[in-house]
Amino acid sequence: MKQYIRPFILCLAGLVLFVAGCSETEKASRNTNGNEKDELETVHLALSPFQDVYSIHVGVEKGFFEEEGIELKIQETDWAGGNDLLVGGKVELATAGDSDIVLQNSNGVDTTLAYPIFYFAGAALMFDPNKYDWKTYDEFLEENNDDKEAMRLTLEQAKGKKVGLNTSVSEYTSFISMLNYAGLDSKDYEIVDMSQEDLPPALLSGSIDIMISGIPQRLAVKKEGYEELIDQTTLPYTISHNGFAARREWLEENPELSTKLLKAIFKTLHYIEENPDDSFPIIVEHMKKVGTEISEEQLESVWNQMEFFPSGIEFYKNEVLNPDGSFYWQDRFQAVVDIMEDEGKIEKERIEDLESLHYTIKLVEEIE
């Protein structure tokens, strides 16, 4: 009997060693690839329901973040609520714009626009043509061929009217820039501070005369017969910079993770540009889940038309870092600071280091 027991024991021991070896090999493989769920680094993102930042869902579904070893934990919230979560240390990233960053830093909070998602040129003054017999900017421009005079005549028609907008986002600074350029005074307009979501009902009910908002709200009232009086493409430096903000301290403590995030975002935006037919349905579906109806056709009409998306490092270097680029970062951030100082939103000379507000510059250097 013993002659059979010894070979059996040796065989069993060999099997145990083989299984253990396979387990270690599999574990090592997971560590090398970094693609297993339990090996991913978690980043919490406060995300607002807008079609531009919802582009992030394409990157998640296509696995671009997982490829970089990242799992995004998304918390749905409105724009202001997301900024509150970031400032309060509840999330690592939040949807934000240049105006948010300037305001927060003026109050001593070290936020920075680290991850560019879109450059917003979609703000327009929407009005009811059946209520007001106003001429549009395009009509005035056709008559006199002078852009500054056309802007002055257009905006002068609305003096004394109620202009609904969110004063904490870029539409406010865009409106003020138009008035300044045209030589008009913001005190001649009744600016009503409202959330983006409340603007269309207010305009439709007649409680405000003009609405300046994000693109979903603009498209919603346009479907009801409202028209654009003027939009911000008439003044290029009003085009705002938007994306995901982070705390500088967190970025500096997580340099490798920070650059991987930027790589995943650039991959996502490049994929959308190259594959809109595959990407837009993903955005539309996720927008529906939060109660916002937008069609693939509407996305096509605004993508790189009213909003422009950085599809990679070359785009960023040519259009954002380059002083001659369409979205030169320093011109825009300085304009926001100047307007907020002039309007009494922030103290004079409170913002001293513009580059600290736009951390993408450092991340791009690290990637290269």
PDB file of all heavy atoms in Angstrom, residues 10 46 50 54 99 117-118 132 164 184-185 201 229 238 240 242 324 351:
ATOM      1  N   LEU A  10       3.362  12.920  -3.612  1.00  0.00           N
ATOM      2  CA  LEU A  10       4.230  13.741  -4.463  1.00  0.00           C
ATOM      3  C   LEU A  10       3.437  14.417  -5.575  1.00  0.00           C
ATOM      4  O   LEU A  10       3.649  15.577  -5.911  1.00  0.00           O
ATOM      5  CB  LEU A  10       5.354  12.870  -5.056  1.00  0.00           C
ATOM      6  CG  LEU A  10       6.415  12.381  -4.079  1.00  0.00           C
ATOM      7  CD1 LEU A  10       7.367  11.398  -4.773  1.00  0.00           C
ATOM      8  CD2 LEU A  10       7.205  13.559  -3.498  1.00  0.00           C
ATOM      9  N   ALA A  46     -17.276  65.322  -9.917  1.00  0.00           N
ATOM     10  CA  ALA A  46     -18.599  65.954  -9.844  1.00  0.00           C
ATOM     11  C   ALA A  46     -18.933  66.465 -11.240  1.00  0.00           C
ATOM     12  O   ALA A  46     -18.266  67.372 -11.749  1.00  0.00           O
ATOM     13  CB  ALA A  46     -18.593  67.096  -8.833  1.00  0.00           C
ATOM     14  N   PHE A  50     -24.361  68.655 -18.891  1.00  0.00           N
ATOM     15  CA  PHE A  50     -24.216  69.399 -20.136  1.00  0.00           C
ATOM     16  C   PHE A  50     -23.539  68.505 -21.165  1.00  0.00           C
ATOM     17  O   PHE A  50     -22.660  67.699 -20.826  1.00  0.00           O
ATOM     18  CB  PHE A  50     -23.402  70.678 -19.925  1.00  0.00           C
ATOM     19  CG  PHE A  50     -24.110  71.702 -19.083  1.00  0.00           C
ATOM     20  CD1 PHE A  50     -23.902  71.758 -17.711  1.00  0.00           C
ATOM     21  CD2 PHE A  50     -25.009  72.585 -19.656  1.00  0.00           C
ATOM     22  CE1 PHE A  50     -24.560  72.697 -16.926  1.00  0.00           C
ATOM     23  CE2 PHE A  50     -25.675  73.524 -18.878  1.00  0.00           C
ATOM     24  CZ  PHE A  50     -25.458  73.583 -17.514  1.00  0.00           C
ATOM     25  N   TYR A  54     -20.308  65.859 -20.816  1.00  0.00           N
ATOM     26  CA  TYR A  54     -20.774  64.474 -20.880  1.00  0.00           C
ATOM     27  C   TYR A  54     -20.001  63.656 -21.909  1.00  0.00           C
ATOM     28  O   TYR A  54     -20.185  62.442 -22.019  1.00  0.00           O
ATOM     29  CB  TYR A  54     -22.275  64.423 -21.165  1.00  0.00           C
ATOM     30  CG  TYR A  54     -23.101  64.227 -19.913  1.00  0.00           C
ATOM     31  CD1 TYR A  54     -22.803  64.923 -18.750  1.00  0.00           C
ATOM     32  CD2 TYR A  54     -24.170  63.334 -19.881  1.00  0.00           C
ATOM     33  CE1 TYR A  54     -23.544  64.743 -17.600  1.00  0.00           C
ATOM     34  CE2 TYR A  54     -24.923  63.158 -18.732  1.00  0.00           C
ATOM     35  CZ  TYR A  54     -24.596  63.859 -17.596  1.00  0.00           C
ATOM     36  OH  TYR A  54     -25.329  63.668 -16.455  1.00  0.00           O
ATOM     37  N   SER A  99     -14.107  81.486 -15.135  1.00  0.00           N
ATOM     38  CA  SER A  99     -14.668  82.420 -14.157  1.00  0.00           C
ATOM     39  C   SER A  99     -14.739  81.800 -12.759  1.00  0.00           C
ATOM     40  O   SER A  99     -14.473  82.473 -11.760  1.00  0.00           O
ATOM     41  CB  SER A  99     -16.067  82.860 -14.589  1.00  0.00           C
ATOM     42  OG  SER A  99     -16.026  83.545 -15.822  1.00  0.00           O
ATOM     43  N   ILE A 117     -11.825  70.675 -21.568  1.00  0.00           N
ATOM     44  CA  ILE A 117     -12.786  69.846 -22.291  1.00  0.00           C
ATOM     45  C   ILE A 117     -13.344  70.605 -23.496  1.00  0.00           C
ATOM     46  O   ILE A 117     -13.450  70.063 -24.591  1.00  0.00           O
ATOM     47  CB  ILE A 117     -13.952  69.406 -21.380  1.00  0.00           C
ATOM     48  CG1 ILE A 117     -13.430  68.589 -20.194  1.00  0.00           C
ATOM     49  CG2 ILE A 117     -14.977  68.590 -22.172  1.00  0.00           C
ATOM     50  CD1 ILE A 117     -12.836  67.253 -20.565  1.00  0.00           C
ATOM     51  N   PHE A 118     -13.685  71.888 -23.293  1.00  0.00           N
ATOM     52  CA  PHE A 118     -14.245  72.637 -24.416  1.00  0.00           C
ATOM     53  C   PHE A 118     -14.039  74.133 -24.245  1.00  0.00           C
ATOM     54  O   PHE A 118     -13.900  74.645 -23.140  1.00  0.00           O
ATOM     55  CB  PHE A 118     -15.742  72.339 -24.578  1.00  0.00           C
ATOM     56  CG  PHE A 118     -16.605  72.824 -23.432  1.00  0.00           C
ATOM     57  CD1 PHE A 118     -17.357  73.992 -23.539  1.00  0.00           C
ATOM     58  CD2 PHE A 118     -16.686  72.113 -22.238  1.00  0.00           C
ATOM     59  CE1 PHE A 118     -18.146  74.432 -22.490  1.00  0.00           C
ATOM     60  CE2 PHE A 118     -17.475  72.544 -21.188  1.00  0.00           C
ATOM     61  CZ  PHE A 118     -18.210  73.715 -21.313  1.00  0.00           C
ATOM     62  N   TYR A 132     -40.494  91.834 -29.235  1.00  0.00           N
ATOM     63  CA  TYR A 132     -39.616  92.974 -29.489  1.00  0.00           C
ATOM     64  C   TYR A 132     -39.220  93.014 -30.965  1.00  0.00           C
ATOM     65  O   TYR A 132     -38.707  92.024 -31.500  1.00  0.00           O
ATOM     66  CB  TYR A 132     -38.360  92.881 -28.622  1.00  0.00           C
ATOM     67  CG  TYR A 132     -38.645  92.962 -27.139  1.00  0.00           C
ATOM     68  CD1 TYR A 132     -38.484  91.846 -26.318  1.00  0.00           C
ATOM     69  CD2 TYR A 132     -39.098  94.151 -26.568  1.00  0.00           C
ATOM     70  CE1 TYR A 132     -38.753  91.911 -24.961  1.00  0.00           C
ATOM     71  CE2 TYR A 132     -39.381  94.231 -25.208  1.00  0.00           C
ATOM     72  CZ  TYR A 132     -39.206  93.111 -24.411  1.00  0.00           C
ATOM     73  OH  TYR A 132     -39.490  93.177 -23.065  1.00  0.00           O
ATOM     74  N   GLY A 164     -31.414  87.769 -18.056  1.00  0.00           N
ATOM     75  CA  GLY A 164     -31.225  86.625 -17.168  1.00  0.00           C
ATOM     76  C   GLY A 164     -29.965  85.859 -17.525  1.00  0.00           C
ATOM     77  O   GLY A 164     -29.768  85.490 -18.689  1.00  0.00           O
ATOM     78  N   LEU A 184     -20.740 100.612 -23.821  1.00  0.00           N
ATOM     79  CA  LEU A 184     -21.993 100.682 -23.075  1.00  0.00           C
ATOM     80  C   LEU A 184     -21.751 100.330 -21.603  1.00  0.00           C
ATOM     81  O   LEU A 184     -20.714  99.753 -21.256  1.00  0.00           O
ATOM     82  CB  LEU A 184     -23.031  99.743 -23.687  1.00  0.00           C
ATOM     83  CG  LEU A 184     -23.403 100.055 -25.151  1.00  0.00           C
ATOM     84  CD1 LEU A 184     -24.280  98.947 -25.737  1.00  0.00           C
ATOM     85  CD2 LEU A 184     -24.107 101.401 -25.259  1.00  0.00           C
ATOM     86  N   ASP A 185     -22.725 100.654 -20.757  1.00  0.00           N
ATOM     87  CA  ASP A 185     -22.578 100.480 -19.315  1.00  0.00           C
ATOM     88  C   ASP A 185     -23.528  99.389 -18.819  1.00  0.00           C
ATOM     89  O   ASP A 185     -24.728  99.430 -19.110  1.00  0.00           O
ATOM     90  CB  ASP A 185     -22.892 101.801 -18.603  1.00  0.00           C
ATOM     91  CG  ASP A 185     -22.484 101.800 -17.139  1.00  0.00           C
ATOM     92  OD1 ASP A 185     -22.392 100.699 -16.543  1.00  0.00           O
ATOM     93  OD2 ASP A 185     -22.264 102.884 -16.586  1.00  0.00           O
ATOM     94  N   PRO A 201     -37.567  78.673 -18.537  1.00  0.00           N
ATOM     95  CA  PRO A 201     -38.912  78.979 -18.037  1.00  0.00           C
ATOM     96  C   PRO A 201     -39.124  80.465 -17.783  1.00  0.00           C
ATOM     97  O   PRO A 201     -40.220  80.994 -18.035  1.00  0.00           O
ATOM     98  CB  PRO A 201     -38.994  78.179 -16.721  1.00  0.00           C
ATOM     99  CG  PRO A 201     -37.990  77.100 -16.859  1.00  0.00           C
ATOM    100  CD  PRO A 201     -36.884  77.676 -17.676  1.00  0.00           C
ATOM    101  N   LEU A 229     -30.154  87.478 -30.693  1.00  0.00           N
ATOM    102  CA  LEU A 229     -29.928  88.893 -30.962  1.00  0.00           C
ATOM    103  C   LEU A 229     -28.469  89.103 -31.368  1.00  0.00           C
ATOM    104  O   LEU A 229     -28.167  89.817 -32.327  1.00  0.00           O
ATOM    105  CB  LEU A 229     -30.256  89.715 -29.711  1.00  0.00           C
ATOM    106  CG  LEU A 229     -30.219  91.239 -29.849  1.00  0.00           C
ATOM    107  CD1 LEU A 229     -31.293  91.722 -30.819  1.00  0.00           C
ATOM    108  CD2 LEU A 229     -30.415  91.894 -28.476  1.00  0.00           C
ATOM    109  N   THR A 238     -14.120  86.552 -25.848  1.00  0.00           N
ATOM    110  CA  THR A 238     -15.153  86.187 -24.873  1.00  0.00           C
ATOM    111  C   THR A 238     -15.347  84.675 -24.805  1.00  0.00           C
ATOM    112  O   THR A 238     -16.086  84.181 -23.951  1.00  0.00           O
ATOM    113  CB  THR A 238     -16.503  86.841 -25.216  1.00  0.00           C
ATOM    114  OG1 THR A 238     -17.001  86.297 -26.452  1.00  0.00           O
ATOM    115  CG2 THR A 238     -16.371  88.345 -25.349  1.00  0.00           C
ATOM    116  N   SER A 240     -14.988  81.223 -23.653  1.00  0.00           N
ATOM    117  CA  SER A 240     -14.520  80.786 -22.334  1.00  0.00           C
ATOM    118  C   SER A 240     -13.852  79.416 -22.372  1.00  0.00           C
ATOM    119  O   SER A 240     -14.107  78.598 -23.256  1.00  0.00           O
ATOM    120  CB  SER A 240     -15.690  80.755 -21.349  1.00  0.00           C
ATOM    121  OG  SER A 240     -16.652  79.801 -21.754  1.00  0.00           O
ATOM    122  N   ASN A 242     -13.311  75.877 -20.447  1.00  0.00           N
ATOM    123  CA  ASN A 242     -14.069  75.051 -19.506  1.00  0.00           C
ATOM    124  C   ASN A 242     -13.557  73.620 -19.509  1.00  0.00           C
ATOM    125  O   ASN A 242     -12.991  73.150 -20.498  1.00  0.00           O
ATOM    126  CB  ASN A 242     -15.550  75.047 -19.889  1.00  0.00           C
ATOM    127  CG  ASN A 242     -16.120  76.441 -19.990  1.00  0.00           C
ATOM    128  OD1 ASN A 242     -16.597  77.008 -19.025  1.00  0.00           O
ATOM    129  ND2 ASN A 242     -16.083  77.019 -21.199  1.00  0.00           N
ATOM    130  N   ASP A 324      -0.925  83.353 -30.867  1.00  0.00           N
ATOM    131  CA  ASP A 324      -1.729  83.608 -32.065  1.00  0.00           C
ATOM    132  C   ASP A 324      -2.850  82.586 -32.246  1.00  0.00           C
ATOM    133  O   ASP A 324      -3.559  82.625 -33.257  1.00  0.00           O
ATOM    134  CB  ASP A 324      -0.829  83.592 -33.312  1.00  0.00           C
ATOM    135  CG  ASP A 324       0.186  84.729 -33.307  1.00  0.00           C
ATOM    136  OD1 ASP A 324      -0.174  85.827 -32.840  1.00  0.00           O
ATOM    137  OD2 ASP A 324       1.336  84.503 -33.742  1.00  0.00           O
ATOM    138  N   ILE A 351      -5.457  88.398  -7.811  1.00  0.00           N
ATOM    139  CA  ILE A 351      -4.902  87.327  -8.639  1.00  0.00           C
ATOM    140  C   ILE A 351      -3.563  87.793  -9.188  1.00  0.00           C
ATOM    141  O   ILE A 351      -3.492  88.754  -9.954  1.00  0.00           O
ATOM    142  CB  ILE A 351      -5.845  86.970  -9.804  1.00  0.00           C
ATOM    143  CG1 ILE A 351      -7.229  86.580  -9.287  1.00  0.00           C
ATOM    144  CG2 ILE A 351      -5.246  85.856 -10.658  1.00  0.00           C
ATOM    145  CD1 ILE A 351      -7.269  85.336  -8.446  1.00  0.00           C
TER     146      ILE A 351
END
